[in-house]
Amino acid sequence: MCEILHKFLMGLREFIKEYFLSFWDYETPKVMVVKNTTLGVIYRSVQFLVITYFIWYVFINEKAYQESETRPESSVYTLMKGTAVRGDDILDTVEYVRPSEGGDVISAILRREVTYDQRQGTCAEHCKVTNANCTTDTDCVKGEVDFDGHGIRTGICVQYLNHTFKTCEIQTWCPIEEYAAVREPALEAAINFTVFIRNSIHFPRFKVLRGNIKDAPSKRDMQKYLNKCHYNEEKEPYCPNFRLGYIAEQASQNFNELCKTGGVIGVFINWKCNLDLDPSHCKPTYSFRRLDLRKDQANSGYYYRFAKYYSKDGVESRMLIKAYGIRLDVIVHGHAGKFSPIPTIIGTVTAMTSVGICTIICDWIMLTFIDKNEVYSDRKFDEIIKEPAVPTPTELSYINSFGSNHSDLSEGVPL
């Protein structure tokens, strides 16, 4: 037992000694020229791909030589304009826009379902509510509240409208919306309504402030321009007026379908600014996309309810309105870049270092697939314990077939 422990300790001692001594060894690359066309083609091809990637993608496309800012300060103001006719009524922005002057969210009512003259009282619960159907008063628990229902149960079973079956009586605003609402025709004229979107963006790192409205010599000229223009990506990129029909079209939506179910559309304002150029080249681009889930029919679309209260015959009454509309969410993204020496140096050093990958790949190919007789590996890895008596070149050596320090691996090596 003691002998085994002694051998183990001696072996551990030798291992630690060799590791400690090898730690102080110096390693330097050895340059070996291998005249192999296949390997040379692979080497230059990988070099070309790496250099092309850094020049075209990293420096030209991604502009790695620039200092960038991606969290700008932004302000959005929206205003909807337009007039519509419904029957004998003239509708303006107060009637169909919520809010009339908004921030980054604004909506327009496209269709309404109105329940007129609701009053506080008792009436039959809707038949589609769970456990609303009954035959006697004992089926209705007084004071019970069904969260899918419309009010508090009185404990009485009453006839459901003009039908033969009965439902539990509830105390609520009567008549109930589900069987008393009147559907109004869609506001198809809203397709020509315009949305004014004013956006200002500030890049504090570069102290650059830009807006999406074209500059004008005077305030009067500016107002005149804004009253006539409509946004066009090529002709009017600085006009902030957008037709609702244009927004729906760009979002690949049918406006008539939006009138039926409503919908939420995102208006994306993208600022990508190269501040190495004049700031006037920093222009916004717009994109539009439907945001609500259309596959889930139960939750798709956009609608909300509100009421208008009034007194009728001395009794408080209300008109309940379920409004289907189009909601616009304005979302701003910004990215600005300007030349800086630090990212330029980092990108250049990274590119130069990455070129070294070519040597690693080709060494692996040479030693794994080409060096079947271990000729290359014997010449590539040398261990020098003492300095040679005769000085030999250290920077570059050619290995030939005559046994000297210069040799050519293209001859006499069976591959």
Side-chain angles (χ1 to χ4, degrees):
M1 185 68 181
C2 294
E3 185 179 353
I4 296 174
L5 181 61
H6 177 71
K7 289 182 179 180
F8 173 76
L9 293 175
M10 292 300 293
L12 181 61
R13 178 184 176 186
E14 289 297 325
F15 173 77
I16 295 175
K17 180 180 178 181
E18 290 181 8
Y19 178 80
F20 178 77
L21 294 176
S22 64
F23 178 77
W24 304 104
D25 291 343
Y26 170 70
E27 296 179 359
T28 182
K30 179 181 179 180
V31 178
M32 183 175 67
V33 177
V34 180
K35 293 187 177 181
N36 185 294
T37 305
T38 303
L39 195 61
V41 170
I42 295 175
Y43 179 66
R44 296 305 178 189
S45 299
V46 176
Q47 267 190 336
F48 175 78
L49 291 175
V50 172
I51 293 172
T52 302
Y53 167 78
F54 275 94
I55 292 178
W56 177 78
Y57 181 76
V58 176
F59 285 97
I60 296 179
N61 190 55
E62 295 297 317
K63 295 181 174 57
Y65 58 87
Q66 290 184 335
E67 180 185 11
S68 62
E69 183 175 8
T70 58
R71 298 180 62 88
E73 300 168 353
S74 176
S75 172
V76 176
Y77 170 80
T78 55
L79 176 65
M80 191 170 293
K81 301 177 182 178
T83 303
V85 178
R86 185 175 60 205
D88 296 331
D89 298 329
I90 305 297
L91 304 180
D92 56 11
T93 56
V94 177
E95 294 290 335
Y96 60 78
V97 176
R98 295 290 186 278
S100 57
E101 295 181 2
D104 54 0
V105 176
I106 192 170
S107 65
I109 299 174
L110 303 179
R111 186 174 67 85
R112 304 194 312 174
E113 294 180 1
V114 183
T115 306
Y116 295 95
D117 296 331
Q118 280 191 325
R119 299 182 180 185
Q120 287 282 352
T122 58
C123 50
E125 176 65 282
H126 195 268
C127 59
K128 292 184 179 181
V129 176
T130 305
N131 298 324
N133 293 327
C134 62
T135 55
T136 63
D137 293 346
T138 56
D139 296 329
C140 304
V141 180
K142 184 177 181 180
E144 185 180 44
V145 176
D146 191 321
F147 290 101
D148 292 330
H150 299 84
I152 302 176
R153 294 184 179 180
T154 62
I156 303 174
C157 184
V158 296
Q159 185 177 354
Y160 182 75
L161 299 180
N162 297 323
H163 299 277
T164 57
F165 60 89
K166 298 180 179 181
T167 61
C168 293
E169 185 184 60
I170 58 173
Q171 182 178 355
T172 185
W173 286 93
C174 298
I176 294 176
E177 177 187 26
E178 275 75 1
Y179 54 74
V182 177
R183 290 191 175 187
E184 297 181 348
L187 198 65
E188 297 180 355
I191 194 171
N192 293 317
F193 290 172
T194 59
V195 183
F196 172 80
I197 302 176
R198 184 177 66 199
N199 176 224
S200 299
I201 193 168
H202 177 225
F203 296 98
R205 177 177 296 180
F206 304 115
K207 299 180 180 179
V208 173
L209 178 64
R210 297 293 298 165
N212 67 329
I213 302 178
K214 182 179 181 180
D215 294 332
S218 64
K219 187 176 180 180
R220 182 177 180 181
D221 293 337
M222 171 69 73
Q223 193 63 41
K224 185 178 180 180
Y225 169 75
L226 294 178
N227 289 337
K228 293 183 178 180
C229 75
H230 285 88
Y231 174 80
N232 184 283
E233 186 176 359
E234 297 179 358
K235 299 179 180 180
E236 294 289 353
Y238 273 113
C239 180
N241 295 322
F242 300 84
R243 290 176 56 252
L244 282 184
Y246 174 83
I247 293 175
E249 179 184 352
Q250 293 299 309
S252 302
Q253 299 299 311
N254 186 303
F255 193 82
N256 291 330
E257 290 296 324
L258 287 175
C259 289
K260 295 178 181 178
T261 62
V264 181
I265 295 180
V267 180
F268 297 89
I269 306 178
N270 303 292
W271 296 84
K272 192 170 183 180
C273 303
N274 182 5
L275 299 181
D276 290 331
L277 306 176
D278 189 88
S280 60
H281 292 85
C282 181
K283 299 179 181 179
T285 58
Y286 300 87
S287 58
F288 309 88
R289 186 172 70 250
R290 180 84 177 262
L291 298 181
D292 57 304
L293 298 175
R294 285 162 289 175
K295 294 182 180 180
D296 186 358
Q297 295 298 325
N299 295 321
S300 64
Y302 173 72
Y303 62 87
Y304 58 94
R305 292 177 174 86
F306 64 96
K308 295 182 178 180
Y309 294 87
Y310 55 92
S311 178
K312 185 176 182 180
D313 300 329
V315 179
E316 184 183 26
S317 305
R318 75 176 188 182
M319 181 173 63
L320 179 64
I321 301 172
K322 183 179 182 181
Y324 292 84
I326 178 172
R327 192 183 85 177
L328 304 178
D329 291 4
V330 183
I331 303 170
V332 182
H333 298 292
H335 178 278
K338 192 174 185 179
F339 173 80
S340 177
I342 295 178
T344 303
I345 294 173
I346 294 175
T348 304
V349 171
T350 304
M352 296 174 65
T353 305
S354 299
V355 174
I357 297 176
C358 308
T359 304
I360 297 174
I361 294 174
C362 290
D363 281 352
W364 177 74
I365 294 174
M366 179 182 69
L367 298 175
T368 305
F369 301 103
I370 299 178
D371 192 15
K372 297 180 180 179
N373 296 325
E374 298 185 356
V375 177
Y376 295 132
S377 59
D378 290 342
R379 300 297 180 90
K380 182 173 177 62
F381 302 104
D382 288 337
E383 183 177 355
I384 302 175
I385 301 176
K386 296 181 180 180
E387 295 184 1
V390 180
T392 58
T394 58
E395 294 184 358
L396 178 65
S397 64
Y398 288 86
I399 305 175
N400 57 39
S401 59
F402 300 102
S404 66
N405 291 327
H406 301 277
S407 65
D408 186 356
L409 291 183
S410 63
E411 299 177 1
V413 179
L415 301 179

